[in-house]
Amino acid sequence: MTDNRSRSRYELVVDGHTAFAAYTIDGDVMTFTHTIVPPALEGRGIASRLILHALTDVRARGMTLIAKCSFVAAYIRKHPEWADLLAEPLD
């Protein structure tokens, strides 16, 4: 898994396919805009692994986040231990 900062996204390559979680950064706030998992990788927990890595990185960098991406919001609802990273409430 990598933070491809030049493309503003976390990436995970599996079996030659790239899943990613796109973001923007404004100061110390990272806004997750969307998460894409290629059809060949669906149903394998790839998005959850990707978001776990991304949230771990946000915490390590001392940042907060805004979850505009519905998958990131759902992940945080399911795993409330990450809710302290939220810069604003979930929709």
Side-chain angles (χ1 to χ4, degrees):
M1 250 174 277
T2 59
D3 178 6
N4 185 337
R5 293 184 184 189
S6 67
R7 298 186 77 180
S8 298
R9 65 189 204 175
Y10 289 92
E11 298 175 340
L12 176 58
V13 178
V14 178
D15 299 335
H17 302 280
T18 303
F20 66 89
Y23 62 81
T24 61
I25 294 178
D26 184 12
D28 64 350
V29 179
M30 184 177 291
T31 299
F32 287 93
T33 56
H34 60 282
T35 300
I36 301 293
V37 175
L41 300 179
E42 289 178 355
R44 296 169 55 182
I46 301 296
S48 292
R49 285 175 46 203
L50 184 62
I51 298 308
L52 174 60
H53 173 80
L55 297 181
T56 300
D57 191 51
V58 168
R59 178 167 282 150
R61 292 167 65 179
M63 301 178 78
T64 58
L65 68 91
I66 297 172
K68 296 293 183 193
C69 169
S70 60
F71 186 86
V72 174
Y75 186 92
I76 293 172
R77 282 188 189 95
K78 187 174 179 179
H79 303 277
E81 64 271 21
W82 297 102
D84 64 301
L85 295 178
L86 292 169
E88 62 181 43
L90 297 172
D91 292 332

